Amino acid sequence: MNDTLSSEKVAPENAAPQDAWPALMRRAQDGDQRAYRLVLRALVPVVRVRVRRRIFDDALAEDVVQDVLMTLHRLRHTYDPALPLLPWVSAIVSARAVDALRRQGRSRGREINRDETLSGTVDPGAAAAFDAIGAERELAGMLNILPDRQRQMIELVKLQEMTLDAAAQESQLSVSAVKSLLHRAITRLREHGKQTHG
Protein backbone atom coordinates (compact mmCIF):
# COMPACT_ATOMS: atom_id res chain seq x y z
CA MET A 1 0.00 0.00 0.00
CA ASN A 2 1.26 3.47 -0.83
CA ASP A 3 2.90 5.31 2.07
CA THR A 4 0.89 8.44 1.33
CA LEU A 5 -2.34 6.94 2.58
CA SER A 6 -5.41 9.03 2.17
CA SER A 7 -7.78 9.22 5.09
CA GLU A 8 -10.49 7.64 2.90
CA LYS A 9 -8.48 4.41 2.60
CA VAL A 10 -7.90 3.80 6.29
CA ALA A 11 -10.06 6.10 8.40
CA PRO A 12 -13.65 5.25 9.34
CA GLU A 13 -16.30 6.86 7.14
CA ASN A 14 -17.45 9.20 9.93
CA ALA A 15 -13.89 10.35 10.72
CA ALA A 16 -12.62 13.82 9.92
CA PRO A 17 -10.89 14.26 6.53
CA GLN A 18 -7.09 14.39 6.61
CA ASP A 19 -6.88 18.09 5.70
CA ALA A 20 -8.90 18.90 8.86
CA TRP A 21 -6.54 17.02 11.21
CA PRO A 22 -4.12 19.90 11.96
CA ALA A 23 -6.98 22.24 12.90
CA LEU A 24 -8.60 19.56 15.05
CA MET A 25 -5.32 18.90 16.83
CA ARG A 26 -4.85 22.63 17.45
CA ARG A 27 -8.33 22.76 19.00
CA ALA A 28 -7.46 19.65 21.03
CA GLN A 29 -4.33 21.40 22.29
CA ASP A 30 -6.64 24.20 23.48
CA GLY A 31 -8.74 21.69 25.43
CA ASP A 32 -11.52 20.88 22.93
CA GLN A 33 -12.36 17.27 23.86
CA ARG A 34 -14.73 16.76 20.91
CA ALA A 35 -12.00 17.80 18.45
CA TYR A 36 -9.58 15.48 20.22
CA ARG A 37 -11.98 12.53 19.91
CA LEU A 38 -12.50 13.30 16.21
CA VAL A 39 -8.80 13.43 15.40
CA LEU A 40 -8.10 10.26 17.40
CA ARG A 41 -10.95 8.44 15.66
CA ALA A 42 -9.36 9.36 12.32
CA LEU A 43 -5.81 8.52 13.42
CA VAL A 44 -6.33 5.10 15.04
CA PRO A 45 -6.71 3.17 11.76
CA VAL A 46 -3.82 5.10 10.18
CA VAL A 47 -1.59 4.31 13.17
CA ARG A 48 -2.64 0.64 13.05
CA VAL A 49 -1.75 0.33 9.33
CA ARG A 50 1.62 2.01 9.81
CA VAL A 51 2.50 -0.09 12.86
CA ARG A 52 1.60 -3.31 11.04
CA ARG A 53 3.99 -2.37 8.23
CA ARG A 54 6.83 -2.54 10.75
CA ILE A 55 5.66 -5.25 13.16
CA PHE A 56 4.16 -8.53 11.98
CA ASP A 57 3.36 -10.09 15.35
CA ASP A 58 -0.31 -9.25 16.00
CA ALA A 59 -0.08 -8.97 19.79
CA LEU A 60 3.07 -6.84 19.68
CA ALA A 61 1.56 -4.66 16.95
CA GLU A 62 -1.50 -3.93 19.10
CA ASP A 63 0.74 -3.12 22.07
CA VAL A 64 2.64 -0.66 19.87
CA VAL A 65 -0.62 0.91 18.62
CA GLN A 66 -1.61 1.54 22.25
CA ASP A 67 1.86 2.89 23.03
CA VAL A 68 1.64 5.26 20.04
CA LEU A 69 -1.77 6.52 21.17
CA MET A 70 -0.49 7.16 24.70
CA THR A 71 2.55 8.95 23.27
CA LEU A 72 0.30 11.09 21.04
CA HIS A 73 -1.73 11.97 24.13
CA ARG A 74 1.36 12.89 26.16
CA LEU A 75 3.06 14.83 23.35
CA ARG A 76 0.10 16.48 21.66
CA HIS A 77 1.20 19.86 23.01
CA THR A 78 4.46 19.55 20.99
CA TYR A 79 2.69 19.31 17.62
CA ASP A 80 2.95 22.43 15.41
CA PRO A 81 -0.47 22.91 13.74
CA ALA A 82 1.21 24.87 10.91
CA LEU A 83 2.67 21.53 9.71
CA PRO A 84 0.91 18.42 8.38
CA LEU A 85 -0.09 16.04 11.17
CA LEU A 86 0.65 12.71 9.46
CA PRO A 87 4.50 13.03 9.32
CA TRP A 88 4.53 13.92 13.04
CA VAL A 89 2.38 10.88 13.82
CA SER A 90 4.54 8.69 11.54
CA ALA A 91 7.69 9.72 13.39
CA ILE A 92 6.08 8.66 16.68
CA VAL A 93 4.95 5.34 15.13
CA SER A 94 8.49 4.71 13.88
CA ALA A 95 10.08 5.47 17.25
CA ARG A 96 7.63 3.32 19.23
CA ALA A 97 7.97 0.41 16.76
CA VAL A 98 11.77 0.49 16.97
CA ASP A 99 11.57 0.63 20.78
CA ALA A 100 9.24 -2.39 20.85
CA LEU A 101 11.44 -4.43 18.52
CA ARG A 102 14.52 -3.61 20.63
CA ARG A 103 12.71 -4.67 23.82
CA GLN A 104 11.56 -7.87 22.14
CA GLY A 105 15.14 -8.63 21.04
CA ARG A 106 16.50 -8.09 24.56
CA SER A 107 13.74 -10.27 26.04
CA ARG A 108 14.43 -13.12 23.59
CA GLY A 109 18.13 -12.89 24.37
CA ARG A 110 17.45 -13.38 28.09
CA GLU A 111 15.09 -16.31 27.39
CA ILE A 112 17.65 -18.09 25.19
CA ASN A 113 20.41 -17.55 27.73
CA ARG A 114 18.25 -18.84 30.60
CA ASP A 115 17.14 -21.93 28.65
CA GLU A 116 20.74 -22.82 27.78
CA THR A 117 21.82 -22.43 31.40
CA LEU A 118 19.02 -24.69 32.64
CA SER A 119 19.60 -27.44 30.09
CA GLY A 120 23.40 -27.29 30.14
CA THR A 121 23.45 -27.74 26.35
CA VAL A 122 23.65 -25.28 23.51
CA ASP A 123 21.30 -25.84 20.60
CA PRO A 124 23.00 -24.59 17.39
CA GLY A 125 19.79 -22.81 16.35
CA ALA A 126 19.54 -21.05 19.71
CA ALA A 127 23.21 -20.12 19.53
CA ALA A 128 22.67 -18.55 16.10
CA ALA A 129 19.64 -16.66 17.40
CA PHE A 130 21.62 -15.47 20.42
CA ASP A 131 24.43 -14.27 18.10
CA ALA A 132 21.86 -12.37 16.03
CA ILE A 133 20.47 -10.74 19.18
CA GLY A 134 24.00 -9.81 20.25
CA ALA A 135 24.51 -8.20 16.86
CA GLU A 136 21.23 -6.34 17.26
CA ARG A 137 22.34 -5.04 20.67
CA GLU A 138 25.67 -3.96 19.23
CA LEU A 139 23.83 -2.16 16.43
CA ALA A 140 21.52 -0.44 18.94
CA GLY A 141 24.59 0.67 20.93
CA MET A 142 26.23 2.01 17.80
CA LEU A 143 23.10 3.89 16.75
CA ASN A 144 22.99 5.56 20.17
CA ILE A 145 26.23 7.43 19.35
CA LEU A 146 24.50 9.21 16.47
CA PRO A 147 22.59 12.48 16.72
CA ASP A 148 18.82 11.97 16.47
CA ARG A 149 18.42 12.96 12.80
CA GLN A 150 21.33 10.79 11.64
CA ARG A 151 20.03 7.82 13.64
CA GLN A 152 16.57 8.33 12.16
CA MET A 153 17.98 8.20 8.62
CA ILE A 154 19.90 4.98 9.34
CA GLU A 155 16.75 3.43 10.82
CA LEU A 156 14.54 4.49 7.91
CA VAL A 157 16.85 3.77 4.97
CA LYS A 158 19.10 0.97 6.21
CA LEU A 159 16.97 -0.88 8.78
CA GLN A 160 13.46 -0.33 7.41
CA GLU A 161 14.77 -0.34 3.82
CA MET A 162 12.84 2.76 2.79
CA THR A 163 13.74 4.52 -0.43
CA LEU A 164 15.40 7.92 -0.13
CA ASP A 165 12.17 9.54 -1.36
CA ALA A 166 10.07 7.70 1.25
CA ALA A 167 12.55 8.57 4.02
CA ALA A 168 12.48 12.21 2.94
CA GLN A 169 8.69 12.24 3.08
CA GLU A 170 8.60 10.44 6.44
CA SER A 171 11.08 12.88 8.00
CA GLN A 172 9.86 16.02 6.21
CA LEU A 173 13.31 16.61 4.71
CA SER A 174 14.60 16.94 1.17
CA VAL A 175 16.20 13.93 -0.51
CA SER A 176 19.54 15.76 -0.52
CA ALA A 177 19.25 16.37 3.24
CA VAL A 178 18.51 12.66 3.76
CA LYS A 179 21.58 11.72 1.67
CA SER A 180 23.76 14.15 3.62
CA LEU A 181 22.56 12.86 7.00
CA LEU A 182 23.07 9.26 5.86
CA HIS A 183 26.59 10.01 4.65
CA ARG A 184 27.54 11.69 7.93
CA ALA A 185 25.96 8.86 9.96
CA ILE A 186 27.80 6.15 8.03
CA THR A 187 31.08 8.06 8.30
CA ARG A 188 30.61 8.43 12.05
CA LEU A 189 29.74 4.75 12.48
CA ARG A 190 32.84 3.74 10.51
CA GLU A 191 35.05 5.98 12.65
CA HIS A 192 33.47 4.55 15.80
CA GLY A 193 34.05 1.01 14.51
CA LYS A 194 37.74 1.74 13.84
CA GLN A 195 38.19 3.19 17.34
CA THR A 196 36.36 0.25 18.96
CA HIS A 197 37.93 -2.58 16.97
CA GLY A 198 41.16 -1.00 15.80
Side-chain angles (χ1 to χ4, degrees):
M1 190 178 284
N2 191 323
D3 196 49
T4 55
L5 294 169
S6 69
S7 57
E8 291 79 19
K9 290 181 185 174
V10 294
E13 288 183 22
N14 59 349
Q18 189 172 331
D19 59 355
W21 296 354
L24 286 171
M25 186 58 97
R26 185 185 65 245
R27 287 170 40 202
Q29 289 171 328
D30 293 336
D32 185 331
Q33 292 301 311
R34 183 177 176 277
Y36 189 49
R37 283 193 303 275
L38 287 172
V39 76
L40 281 182
R41 184 181 303 144
L43 284 175
V44 167
V46 175
V47 166
R48 186 165 280 118
V49 166
R50 287 173 181 256
V51 166
R52 288 185 176 274
R53 284 187 191 152
R54 294 169 170 85
I55 297 179
F56 303 110
D57 176 87
D58 290 343
L60 183 59
E62 280 307 306
D63 288 347
V64 173
V65 168
Q66 296 306 314
D67 194 16
V68 168
L69 295 175
M70 288 188 289
T71 303
L72 288 173
H73 180 74
R74 282 194 315 269
L75 298 181
R76 68 186 185 275
H77 67 281
T78 67
Y79 168 66
D80 180 355
L83 299 172
L85 183 62
L86 199 50
W88 182 76
V89 170
S90 293
I92 292 172
V93 167
S94 182
R96 295 292 77 86
V98 167
D99 289 347
L101 291 170
R102 283 183 183 151
R103 282 193 305 271
Q104 184 184 49
R106 286 194 297 269
S107 172
R108 284 188 179 158
R110 286 192 297 272
E111 288 170 10
I112 290 168
N113 197 22
R114 185 181 65 240
D115 290 347
E116 289 171 358
T117 302
L118 292 175
S119 69
T121 61
V122 178
D123 174 5
F130 193 67
D131 288 345
I133 291 162
E136 182 182 321
R137 286 181 183 162
E138 184 177 345
L139 174 62
M142 289 175 64
L143 291 180
N144 285 336
I145 70 162
L146 296 174
D148 289 343
R149 283 291 201 179
Q150 290 179 19
R151 183 175 63 243
Q152 181 187 22
M153 291 311 108
I154 291 288
E155 288 172 348
L156 293 178
V157 177
K158 299 297 183 185
L159 301 182
Q160 296 179 28
E161 299 179 355
M162 282 188 177
T163 64
L164 293 174
D165 288 335
Q169 183 178 359
E170 181 87 11
S171 59
Q172 294 186 298
L173 296 171
S174 67
V175 172
S176 61
V178 168
K179 287 180 182 176
S180 176
L181 285 165
L182 262 178
H183 175 73
R184 288 195 302 247
I186 291 168
T187 301
R188 189 164 184 168
L189 289 172
R190 281 185 187 138
E191 289 169 359
H192 177 73
K194 286 177 187 173
Q195 291 169 1
T196 305
H197 302 296

